[in-house]
Amino acid sequence: MLTVSVKWQKKVFESIEIDTSQPPFVFKAQLYDLSGVPPERQKIMVKGGLLKDDADWSTLGLKNGQKLMMMGTADEIVKAPEKGPVFMEDLPEEQQAANLGYSAGLVNLGNTCYMNSTMQCLISVPELKSELSNYQSARTKDVDQTSHMLTVATRELFSELDKSVKAVAPMPFWMVLQKKYPQFAQLHNGNHMQQDAEECWTQMLYTLSQSLKLPSPSEDPDAVKALFGLNLLNRLHCQESSEESSETESVFSLKCHISHEVNHLHEGLKHGLKGELEKTSPSLGRTAVYVKESLIDSLPRYLTVQFVRFFWKRESNQKAKILRKVDYPLELDIYDLCSEDLRKKLEAPRQKLRDIEGQKLGLQASAKSSSKGDDVKMTDAEGSSNQSGESSTGDQQEGASPHMTGIYDLVSVLTHKGRSADSGHYVAWVKQESGKWVQYDDANTSLQRGEDIIKLSGGGDWHMAYIVMYKARLISM
Amino acid sequence: MAPVPDPNSVGGGAKRDEATTKIPSKDSKKKDDKKEEDLSEEDLQLKQNLELYVERVQDPNPELQKIALESMRKEIRDSTSSMTSVPKPLKFLRPHYGVLKEFHAKMAESDLKKMLADILSVLALTMSAEGERESLNYRLNGSESDIGSWGHEYVRNLAGEIAKEYTIRQGEESSIEDLMDLVQQIVSFHMKHNAETEAVDLLMDVEDLDLLLEHVDNTNFRRTCNYLTSAAKYLPGPDDMLVLDIAYMIYIKFAEYPNALQIALFLDNMQYVKQVFTSCTDLVKKKQFCYMIARHGMTFELDQEMVANDEDKEALQDIVNNSKLSEGYLTLARDIEVMEAKTPEDIYKAHLLDGRASSGPSVDSARQNLSATFVNAFVNAGFGQDKLMTVPSDSTSGSAGNWLFKNKEHGKTSAVASLGMIQLWDVETGLGHLDKYFHSNDNPVVAGALLGVGIVNCGIKNDCDPAFALLSGYIDNEDSSVRIGAIMGLGIAYAGSQNDQIKIRLSPILNDANAPLDVIAFAALSLGMIYVGSCNEEVAQSIIFALMDRSEAELGEALTRFLPLGLGLLYLGKQESVEATAEVSKTFNEKIRKYCDMTLLSCAYAGTGNVLKVQDLLAQCGEHLVKGDIHQGPAVIGLAMVAMSEELGLDMEIRSLERVLQYGEQNIRRAVPLALGLLCISNPKVTVMDTLSRLSHDTDSEVAMAAIISLGLIGAGTNNARIAGMLRNLSSYYYKDASLLFCVRIAQGFVHMGKGLLTLNPFHSERLLLSPTALAGIVTLLHACLDMKSIILGKYHYVLYFLVLAMQPRMMLTVDQSLKPISVPVRVGQAVDVVGQAGRPKTITGFQTHSTPVLLAAGERAELATEKYIPLSPILEGFVILKENPDYREE
């Protein structure tokens, strides 16, 4: 008979008697009573190893009063869950891309950053993407061969970008683009030349507007025009003869002219919509100076503004760049650039928008005035529920009858860094649906802060905005 | 007259530059001539007197001679008390020095001749030609009167001349007996006059430090020993050992046992350790010794001789076994109020990175989860609770399983092993938590449980040997991941123990032709850890054979580097003992030969500060190699290992690494951040931090990864806000690169290790002692980092757990004589080097007063702010036993 003490976790079982004539299994059963650990789960440490169920006590050399240690729990044995978690590393690439929250970058194929950044800005327009996906691969006869190929290539590129995590090399698209627009294939010292992103942008939109004409003539025939196009109401006025004429013109972008007085996008736009031109006056019978004033007659879903930063410098024979800082807002209101008719149309939706915004502030104000202290919480709660209700209904109705408000939110910025249009570097900065800004610098993508986007306004050697795209804020009536 | 500045007065050391003590004779003579007329009456009188004495000395009448000599001696003695100028008698006697010398040579042997020799000896202080050592010669021919009667300056000069004479005589192999008599006198004079450092210097010059023992007394032994121990760092072997030996003996002589023990541990001399125990009779003091041994991480068995009483022995052995470490650590944690478990998100602090942080993917990433596992393990190390792995008793038994299965395959090993880290040092509870995983049918889970057992037992010994009992059964398992878990667990649990049983089990694996390479690599590493610094022949042989048996292809594998490393660890800090093995390593396949060479060299001289070895290693780094050679990595790490021991060498090394970084090849640049990390481990120096921060953005991602890991290492356990900020920014900078992000996460885990209560510094006890097991753990991690991609980023990420060997609470916990924690006020401040300073200088500066337990940062020192208690150890680190001061009176 031996007496030992057994240490188990923080407990010590003092003076347990071991009947050395019985196998250790009996001892384990004793411990089971004390600790509740089933014998098969007990691990008892003796000198040189674990105590085996059939061991011989005499060979273990136990001493009276010796301390033994037991390990073991009655805990459930861990089992792997039926369905293990899915790891990102195991997912196919397109799902990884979906998880990333934004699309991949584009590999620079040799001075193609102008193209990459243009495409990154365009891909951020979901409506364009869906239009493209509806585009038939079979060519209809009213589209020429190269335009068709370019449209298909664009579609392919967009879908490829959506699927991959790693940067995509837009080789097929690049080949087609060169074919369609040979000016992009210009070589200089054996390398492709840097090109003006604005040119690429314009050409792309033009091509797409040609090819994406909807087959059914009843609707608006041109999807691209519906998305990007805006009508300008030009009024020509001749000072000398007081002749007046007006015409409408359809453009894809507004120009922001930069002069000494222009410090802000809005001023630049105004500046761009006013111009002088010489023209033969029918009444005077000679050329006279006409003042051209344009007003916006119809608003696009996506308003593109080009900063006219480059001008042809005759003396040096190159496109020089204006580095002047021109601020642009995250939220642009172009109401005062619109024509009278359009303003009238905008009146009601704008009022509604103001109401909604006013409600947010106004509710609080009214809460202040109405509540004399005791029902503040209630009105607050009401207000918040109101708000949430508002937004949800707004979402629902947006599809039903959206109305333009003349207010636009910045969605993408194409910047240029460098001193002339044909050199330097183009980068795209695109706002994601999640509200985050992503910088697409060719193959590299990185998240950016909203406040840094505003800082791309020029005035130094940092990236500066060249083309900005705004998305209309719609309101349902 | 204008006082002539006396260069002698500036001389501080015994070996002054002789040249400066001589006044240029020609110029001064002219001046003297000119100024003769300007002398004051008094001086003129003195001068005339002296001239008279000089004349009289040459008088044939011995009576007159004697009177003249005595008067002359009186004049000189009266004046040598001043130190600010050349004493006037000496000045006036200058023209007569030659005359007196000639006369002395002509004199017959007599007392008078000796007397004159004495005077000449003093005169030679300023007048003898350089290198002639006339002062010494005349002294030896003199009357051997009291040496101190001629003033300090004279004694110092003599000491300098003796040192020179000694080297010359050593060269000629002539007798030095007469010198030694003089040395005796000088040493006793110095020791009595607060000039211990000079006495020690002289004795080191004449290579007879034993003399010191006779001359130290109660008042000066501390300062003497202090000087000896700090001088030892700068002495070449084997002198340093000799110096420490003397210091040990002095401490023993004055019953200053804690210090004696410290030196015994430094010398790694078991005989001495034992002697400390047998010499001391106070049981409480012995407990303090046990705490010191436990902190050093040494396996130590007390025997009957050291403590007679069985019960006492058990109590002491408990302390050595570190079984109370967990308790003390938790006391500290509760006092500082950091018990609350932290999640990885609390560490990442993503909310501070507005906008730029990715929104957090909706799907689990195995790599992200793995890094979270490690961060969770390191941050909650030793606290016994966390929010991922431990289960709050019953209700959420699913949650632990959940997190575990959010890790993939080998990731599960690290996840289960992290339980060991969380329960660190608390063996009983830890085993309880790990138990259920033993019964899993998933091999990586079992491997993790085995590894966890090893981790939880790290530094803790137990009579029942639970780790060996549990792990030994799995060493020969058919699944190699389970084998590695068991082998690595044993290596961690028994590091430094030199356990024969384990050797018997592990050695056969090394030479088993069927064992896979990774199992062999980990077996070699574990054996290296268990026998760290032991120079064990058998183990060395096994590893050498294993290395020779490797095929060409296997030698190219990343894991093969653990074989030479295991071999190197056997000789950690053992200097020359490595030479035989280093010779054998020259016969290895050339693929591994140089790697092995560098590893052996750097391990053997680790922590010695040996300048010659630093040069050797630097020379290796200077070569520009054909690519494919990998031995420069360990050479760079070796630089840090050798130089890390003392502050001066460390700073020099940081500077030279900057050069290496600029001129070195890519493979060197990859190792430099790691070397910096080792040099400043748990010691975030701002300069190093900046260098690493710069490198963390390097275009070579391997350099960046190493720099990031090293940022973690230098900030390990400090919660350093600046490093934390840097890492946070890096986490957003690298959020897309999974590998780099993993490194950033790991580094974040390091910085917040133990919620800032831990340190990785292998040096302790005021930077004197180097814990070999701790260093082994760090070095292993660094070697693994040399090939980050295949090891840490591959499936052997659990090598990160080797760091547990170096993890120690950076605390100062005071306990009373019954080992219950008590709180007393202490001052904590920046440590000041007081070696060789006069008086009783303050040992800390810029201090703050706290009450124990307190945290000590790198370079900080504590002192009691109360007279009520007396600490039993002069080094206020870790556990310190206080006893009440019998003389204390409440005010």
Side-chain angles (χ1 to χ4, degrees):
Chain A
M1 219 34 128
L2 276 171
T3 333
V4 294
S5 59
V6 175
K7 208 169 172 192
W8 177 65
Q9 298 193 354
K10 292 283 178 203
K11 291 186 205 117
V12 179
F13 304 120
E14 298 284 0
S15 56
I16 302 171
E17 291 183 345
I18 300 178
D19 185 354
T20 44
S21 59
Q22 304 276 355
F25 188 78
V26 178
F27 175 57
K28 287 194 175 178
Q30 276 172 291
L31 288 174
Y32 177 44
D33 287 343
L34 289 166
S35 65
V37 180
E40 65 274 14
R41 294 281 300 271
Q42 291 177 11
K43 293 192 184 72
I44 296 160
M45 274 95 134
V46 289
K47 269 271 176 256
L50 297 174
L51 180 66
K52 297 204 178 63
D53 283 353
D54 51 355
D56 186 358
W57 284 114
S58 57
T59 57
L60 293 170
L62 282 187
K63 278 183 286 232
N64 232 346
Q66 186 160 348
K67 278 186 192 145
L68 296 179
M69 196 169 166
M70 180 176 99
M71 175 185 168
T73 50
D75 287 358
E76 220 177 300
I77 292 167
V78 250
K79 281 202 192 76
E82 302 271 299
K83 200 172 120 294
V86 187
F87 293 112
M88 194 161 84
E89 283 84 347
D90 301 338
L91 289 178
E93 222 183 315
E94 49 264 48
Q95 284 187 50
Q96 283 191 37
N99 282 316
L100 206 56
Y102 53 85
S103 56
L106 287 164
V107 177
N108 195 329
L109 302 170
N111 277 338
T112 58
C113 58
Y114 68 94
M115 174 183 87
N116 290 348
S117 46
T118 305
M119 297 315 288
Q120 291 289 8
C121 286
L122 291 180
I123 199 179
S124 70
V125 179
E127 290 88 343
L128 184 64
K129 230 190 276 182
S130 64
E131 286 295 342
L132 274 169
S133 62
N134 291 337
Y135 183 72
Q136 260 100 38
S137 302
R139 185 163 72 95
T140 45
K141 54 184 177 301
D142 46 314
V143 183
D144 66 292
Q145 177 68 33
T146 46
S147 298
H148 170 73
M149 277 166 66
L150 186 58
T151 312
V152 173
T154 312
R155 189 188 68 192
E156 295 307 314
L157 180 66
F158 281 13
S159 71
E160 199 181 339
L161 273 176
D162 271 352
K163 267 187 271 179
S164 62
V165 183
K166 291 192 201 84
V168 172
M171 207 57 196
F173 175 79
W174 170 224
M175 299 313 290
V176 179
L177 183 72
Q178 286 178 76
K179 202 167 190 180
K180 168 82 185 167
Y181 297 106
Q183 68 263 43
F184 294 128
Q186 274 176 302
L187 289 179
H188 184 258
N189 296 338
N191 292 321
H192 288 288
M193 279 171 69
Q194 175 70 290
Q195 302 286 343
D196 191 341
E198 193 267 339
E199 195 175 337
C200 179
W201 183 296
T202 320
Q203 302 289 24
M204 276 310 299
L205 281 190
Y206 176 74
T207 311
L208 292 178
S209 82
Q210 291 301 302
S211 51
L212 290 179
K213 279 191 179 122
L214 290 178
S216 51
S218 60
E219 285 178 55
D220 189 1
D222 185 346
V224 174
K225 201 169 237 174
L227 282 175
F228 299 100
L230 70 166
N231 290 329
L232 288 180
L233 188 69
N234 295 336
R235 203 167 63 89
L236 283 172
H237 174 77
C238 181
Q239 293 279 342
E240 293 171 68
S241 61
S242 355
E243 272 175 285
E244 266 194 45
S245 67
S246 62
E247 55 181 7
T248 53
E249 177 191 12
S250 176
V251 291
F252 282 128
S253 69
L254 288 178
K255 303 253 185 287
C256 172
H257 284 278
I258 301 172
S259 70
H260 292 301
E261 301 97 65
V262 177
N263 290 314
H264 196 270
L265 172 65
H266 211 268
E267 295 161 356
L269 285 176
K270 264 193 179 157
H271 206 268
L273 291 175
K274 207 176 259 175
E276 288 184 348
L277 72 158
E278 283 184 14
K279 187 178 151 176
T280 326
S281 158
S283 60
L284 296 170
R286 59 175 167 88
T287 53
V289 178
Y290 279 75
V291 176
K292 177 184 170 190
E293 273 179 81
S294 313
L295 287 169
I296 301 168
D297 202 26
S298 80
L299 290 171
R301 292 285 281 277
Y302 289 89
L303 176 68
T304 317
V305 181
Q306 183 213 346
F307 289 89
V308 189
R309 287 205 176 269
F310 298 108
F311 65 98
W312 187 257
K313 224 180 189 171
R314 275 202 197 88
E315 49 275 30
S316 62
N317 233 3
Q318 65 175 19
K319 268 186 180 171
K321 184 172 174 185
I322 305 166
L323 296 174
R324 190 176 174 80
K325 181 177 163 78
V326 180
D327 285 323
Y328 54 91
L330 284 176
E331 182 186 310
L332 179 71
D333 188 351
I334 53 162
Y335 181 71
D336 57 347
L337 302 178
C338 296
S339 64
E340 291 296 329
D341 295 349
L342 187 57
R343 281 186 206 189
K344 271 185 202 121
K345 271 189 247 166
L346 290 177
E347 214 49 78
R350 284 173 73 84
Q351 187 56 48
K352 172 102 189 227
L353 191 70
R354 266 201 294 276
D355 285 352
I356 291 169
E357 267 158 24
Q359 233 167 355
K360 287 177 194 163
L361 304 164
L363 255 181
Q364 279 156 7
S366 66
K368 256 180 217 155
S369 59
S370 70
S371 68
K372 293 282 182 276
D374 47 357
D375 55 350
V376 179
K377 274 181 199 158
M378 256 189 41
T379 38
D380 268 4
E382 224 173 299
S384 62
S385 70
N386 263 1
Q387 269 179 342
S388 59
E390 202 82 53
S391 61
S392 64
T393 51
D395 285 344
Q396 280 168 8
Q397 291 168 5
E398 205 163 48
S401 63
H403 283 268
M404 291 285 177
T405 55
I407 292 173
Y408 283 83
D409 292 309
L410 189 66
V411 285
S412 62
V413 182
L414 191 154
T415 62
H416 179 257
K417 187 183 178 183
R419 288 292 169 121
S420 83
D422 301 332
S423 66
H425 187 50
Y426 289 101
V427 168
W429 314 65
V430 179
K431 190 179 187 177
Q432 305 299 310
E433 276 168 64
S434 58
K436 292 208 165 73
W437 283 90
V438 176
Q439 179 202 35
Y440 291 96
D441 182 352
D442 288 331
N444 301 321
T445 55
S446 59
L447 284 170
Q448 298 290 332
R449 273 184 269 246
E451 62 227 54
D452 288 340
I453 302 302
I454 300 297
K455 289 183 188 141
L456 305 169
S457 51
D461 272 335
W462 182 235
H463 297 283
M464 59 184 79
Y466 184 37
I467 301 171
V468 290
M469 188 158 75
Y470 284 90
K471 183 180 184 181
R473 195 181 290 178
L474 301 176
I475 189 128
S476 47
M477 295 296 283
Chain B
M1 73 176 254
V4 182
D6 180 7
N8 293 349
S9 62
V10 215
K15 294 181 281 171
R16 287 155 308 127
D17 192 346
E18 295 287 319
T20 60
T21 65
K22 307 288 174 274
I23 298 167
S25 48
K26 265 191 188 170
D27 287 0
S28 55
K29 246 179 211 166
K30 264 188 202 163
K31 256 187 207 163
D32 279 357
D33 291 344
K34 243 191 231 168
K35 280 187 182 163
E36 208 157 329
E37 301 92 58
D38 306 340
L39 287 178
S40 71
E41 230 165 85
E42 210 178 315
D43 288 349
L44 205 63
Q45 177 71 35
L46 177 67
K47 192 177 177 219
Q48 280 162 1
N49 278 349
L50 285 168
E51 275 164 7
L52 186 68
Y53 298 149
V54 171
E55 241 167 74
R56 290 270 175 84
V57 165
Q58 298 171 51
D59 197 288
N61 183 349
E63 282 301 311
L64 271 179
Q65 274 185 355
K66 193 176 179 198
I67 293 170
L69 281 172
E70 269 169 7
S71 326
M72 209 192 286
R73 185 168 69 184
K74 187 173 169 294
E75 292 285 359
I76 295 171
R77 280 199 186 166
D78 284 352
S79 63
T80 42
S81 54
S82 158
M83 282 296 198
T84 50
S85 62
V86 176
K88 278 175 191 146
L90 291 186
K91 207 170 112 189
F92 296 139
L93 281 172
R94 174 176 277 280
H96 310 290
Y97 180 57
V99 180
L100 288 173
K101 253 168 76 177
E102 268 169 46
F103 181 71
H104 177 262
K106 278 184 275 178
M107 266 173 95
E109 284 299 318
S110 68
D111 282 352
L112 286 178
K113 180 166 181 170
K114 286 190 175 165
M115 222 160 141
L116 180 58
D118 283 348
I119 291 174
L120 278 170
S121 172
V122 177
L123 291 181
L125 179 63
T126 57
M127 284 164 223
S128 81
E130 198 179 334
E132 291 288 315
R133 295 181 307 286
E134 284 179 345
S135 181
L136 177 62
N137 278 332
Y138 286 117
R139 174 74 205 174
L140 290 173
N141 292 325
S143 60
E144 291 167 21
S145 59
D146 177 23
I147 203 165
S149 57
W150 299 103
H152 267 275
E153 199 45 52
Y154 173 65
V155 180
R156 278 196 205 157
N157 185 49
L158 263 187
E161 292 190 2
I162 287 174
K164 286 195 183 132
E165 179 77 18
Y166 180 82
T167 33
I168 291 170
R169 291 209 195 170
Q170 280 303 79
E172 295 166 353
E173 292 182 21
S174 48
S175 151
I176 48 161
E177 243 169 73
D178 49 342
L179 281 184
M180 293 322 282
D181 288 343
L182 205 50
V183 168
Q184 286 271 16
Q185 288 183 36
I186 296 177
V187 168
S188 91
F189 174 80
H190 275 324
M191 293 303 280
K192 282 196 194 83
H193 292 87
N194 291 323
E196 297 87 1
T197 55
E198 278 150 31
V200 171
D201 281 342
L202 176 61
L203 285 174
M204 282 201 266
D205 282 332
V206 301
E207 295 167 28
D208 194 6
L209 271 172
D210 294 338
L211 274 180
L212 209 53
L213 274 176
E214 301 162 22
H215 294 283
V216 283
D217 62 30
N218 236 331
T219 54
N220 59 22
F221 80 94
R222 260 175 220 287
R223 286 148 52 81
T224 311
C225 290
N226 219 342
Y227 184 66
L228 284 174
T229 37
S230 44
K233 285 179 190 162
Y234 302 100
L235 290 174
D239 285 4
D240 52 343
M241 295 298 137
L242 213 73
V243 167
L244 288 170
D245 251 13
I246 297 293
Y248 170 79
M249 283 187 241
I250 294 174
Y251 278 133
I252 287 283
K253 187 178 167 191
F254 291 94
E256 206 47 47
Y257 300 119
N259 291 92
L261 178 66
Q262 243 197 326
I263 293 176
L265 290 175
F266 185 89
L267 292 170
D268 199 14
N269 187 329
M270 282 304 118
Q271 228 57 45
Y272 280 1
V273 175
K274 207 170 161 183
Q275 195 188 348
V276 170
F277 271 95
T278 46
S279 324
C280 181
T281 49
D282 186 348
L283 181 68
V284 187
K285 276 196 174 160
K286 286 187 186 176
K287 286 183 181 164
Q288 181 65 57
F289 302 160
C290 291
Y291 277 129
M292 292 166 74
I293 292 176
R295 170 62 182 94
H296 194 51
M298 198 168 75
T299 309
F300 186 71
E301 285 284 339
L302 292 155
D303 60 25
Q304 215 63 36
E305 256 179 88
M306 300 183 209
V307 232
N309 186 327
D310 259 349
E311 216 166 284
D312 292 343
K313 199 179 103 182
E314 201 172 312
L316 290 180
Q317 190 69 53
D318 256 6
I319 301 176
V320 175
N321 287 350
N322 253 333
S323 38
K324 297 279 183 244
L325 182 58
S326 174
E327 238 169 78
Y329 179 62
L330 290 176
T331 308
L332 172 76
R334 271 190 285 271
D335 191 83
I336 298 180
E337 296 179 349
V338 288
M339 280 307 286
E340 179 75 13
K342 283 198 169 183
T343 60
E345 283 71 34
D346 294 338
I347 303 302
Y348 298 165
K349 292 206 173 110
H351 61 273
L352 293 179
L353 298 164
D354 50 344
R356 299 198 61 173
S358 76
S359 50
S362 47
V363 178
D364 277 305
S365 151
R367 173 146 285 168
Q368 294 274 338
N369 285 0
L370 182 61
S371 58
T373 300
F374 278 112
V375 170
N376 181 56
F378 284 120
V379 171
N380 296 306
F383 288 92
Q385 51 182 355
D386 75 330
K387 286 182 175 158
L388 297 182
M389 289 303 294
T390 51
V391 193
S393 64
D394 40 26
S395 59
T396 44
S397 66
S399 79
N402 274 345
W403 182 256
L404 170 62
F405 293 107
K406 280 192 174 176
N407 289 284
K408 233 172 101 179
E409 295 152 28
H410 45 80
K412 284 186 252 183
T413 306
S414 288
V416 178
S418 76
L419 265 177
M421 190 64 111
I422 293 157
Q423 307 289 342
L424 186 62
W425 304 319
D426 186 356
V427 178
E428 286 86 13
T429 324
L431 294 185
H433 275 285
L434 286 164
D435 174 64
K436 58 183 169 197
Y437 298 101
F438 272 90
H439 303 277
S440 169
N441 45 17
D442 198 359
N443 278 331
V445 174
V446 177
L450 295 167
L451 181 53
V453 169
I455 293 170
V456 86
N457 277 290
C458 177
I460 315 288
K461 282 111 209 163
N462 192 310
D463 282 339
C464 301
D465 264 342
F468 183 72
L470 289 169
L471 301 187
S472 56
Y474 294 88
I475 291 176
D476 299 316
N477 197 289
E478 63 274 9
D479 184 84
S480 62
S481 68
V482 173
R483 289 181 87 177
I484 292 174
I487 291 167
M488 187 173 156
L490 284 171
I492 290 176
Y494 292 94
S497 70
Q498 308 190 15
N499 188 320
D500 262 338
Q501 271 180 304
I502 303 177
K503 183 181 73 186
I504 294 165
R505 297 295 307 278
L506 292 186
S507 296
I509 299 177
L510 288 175
N511 305 317
D512 175 3
N514 297 324
L517 176 69
D518 49 1
V519 174
I520 291 175
F522 278 94
L525 201 50
S526 283
L527 277 171
M529 301 249 165
I530 294 162
Y531 283 85
V532 64
S534 70
C535 307
N536 187 300
E537 280 297 319
E538 273 179 71
V539 179
Q541 282 301 327
S542 310
I543 300 180
I544 287 171
F545 285 137
L547 262 168
M548 287 174 166
D549 288 347
R550 292 306 107 211
S551 67
E552 186 94 357
E554 278 178 318
L555 288 174
E557 293 279 322
L559 279 179
T560 313
R561 66 185 68 224
F562 286 156
L563 287 163
L565 181 60
L567 193 57
L569 290 179
L570 295 176
Y571 298 95
L572 195 71
K574 291 298 171 210
Q575 313 202 17
E576 290 83 12
S577 319
V578 80
E579 274 162 17
T581 309
E583 221 34 62
V584 178
S585 81
K586 295 209 163 69
T587 62
F588 290 164
N589 184 306
E590 63 179 333
K591 259 189 160 170
I592 200 80
R593 188 192 303 149
K594 282 211 149 171
Y595 192 96
C596 194
D597 218 28
M598 289 300 110
T599 313
L600 285 174
L601 179 69
S602 56
C603 284
Y605 289 89
T608 61
N610 190 320
V611 186
L612 295 177
K613 299 302 159 192
V614 170
Q615 284 172 1
D616 281 357
L617 291 166
L618 270 176
Q620 287 292 337
C621 300
E623 283 168 31
H624 293 275
L625 301 174
V626 217
K627 63 176 177 182
D629 249 347
I630 50 166
H631 71 272
Q632 287 182 326
V636 176
I637 291 177
L639 279 173
M641 286 166 71
V642 177
M644 70 190 291
S645 62
E646 45 84 38
E647 289 291 332
L648 275 179
L650 194 148
D651 285 339
M652 259 153 54
E653 201 45 55
I654 292 175
R655 283 194 297 277
S656 55
L657 280 175
E658 188 72 27
R659 294 284 158 283
V660 172
L661 191 64
Q662 280 167 3
Y663 300 114
E665 299 282 323
Q666 208 61 353
N667 54 346
I668 291 181
R669 295 189 70 234
R670 286 172 189 171
V672 168
L674 299 173
L676 286 173
L678 177 61
L679 282 170
C680 298
I681 195 152
S682 285
N683 180 10
K685 290 194 178 194
V686 178
T687 46
V688 177
M689 207 190 293
D690 289 342
T691 309
L692 290 176
S693 166
R694 174 163 52 86
L695 291 175
S696 66
H697 294 86
D698 201 275
T699 41
D700 182 359
S701 70
E702 300 237 356
V703 176
M705 281 192 250
I708 291 166
I709 292 282
S710 287
L711 268 178
L713 289 177
I714 66 167
T718 62
N719 280 350
N720 186 296
R722 201 163 148 197
I723 299 185
M726 283 177 184
L727 290 172
R728 217 160 33 233
N729 289 333
L730 283 169
S731 77
S732 78
Y733 184 79
Y734 286 127
Y735 71 100
K736 260 178 46 200
D737 188 322
S739 305
L740 277 155
L741 187 60
F742 182 79
C743 292
V744 174
R745 295 303 186 211
I746 297 296
Q748 286 179 314
F750 286 168
V751 170
H752 297 275
M753 188 179 276
K755 295 171 203 157
L757 306 190
L758 293 172
T759 178
L760 289 180
N761 197 339
F763 286 97
H764 59 100
S765 303
E766 307 194 332
R767 268 193 84 81
L768 177 70
L769 295 179
L770 171 70
S771 165
T773 50
L775 184 61
I778 301 167
V779 169
T780 307
L781 175 72
L782 295 182
H783 273 255
C785 286
L786 284 175
D787 195 342
M788 198 84 79
K789 285 216 169 80
S790 0
I791 300 177
I792 290 178
L793 298 174
K795 57 181 219 184
Y796 302 103
H797 36 74
Y798 36 79
V799 295
L800 286 168
Y801 287 128
F802 274 123
L803 269 191
V804 72
L805 289 164
M807 282 161 61
Q808 284 290 335
R810 54 185 184 102
M811 63 177 178
M812 163 11 193
L813 181 69
T814 45
V815 293
D816 63 11
Q817 302 197 26
S818 56
L819 308 185
K820 294 267 173 310
I822 46 172
S823 184
V824 294
V826 283
R827 289 186 283 265
V828 179
Q830 208 61 38
V832 183
D833 186 13
V834 292
V835 173
Q837 289 197 22
R840 303 186 63 190
K842 285 250 176 298
T843 54
I844 57 175
T845 176
F847 57 78
Q848 285 186 313
T849 309
H850 302 279
S851 50
T852 55
V854 288
L855 288 179
L856 295 177
E860 278 186 347
R861 191 182 280 168
E863 61 179 38
L864 283 196
T866 169
E867 301 278 298
K868 198 173 165 189
Y869 295 98
I870 303 172
L872 289 185
S873 159
I875 304 116
L876 298 186
E877 283 175 27
F879 289 91
V880 178
I881 304 178
L882 300 180
K883 82 176 178 213
E884 291 205 22
N885 187 349
D887 304 328
Y888 178 73
R889 239 174 263 130
E890 203 82 47
E891 274 166 36

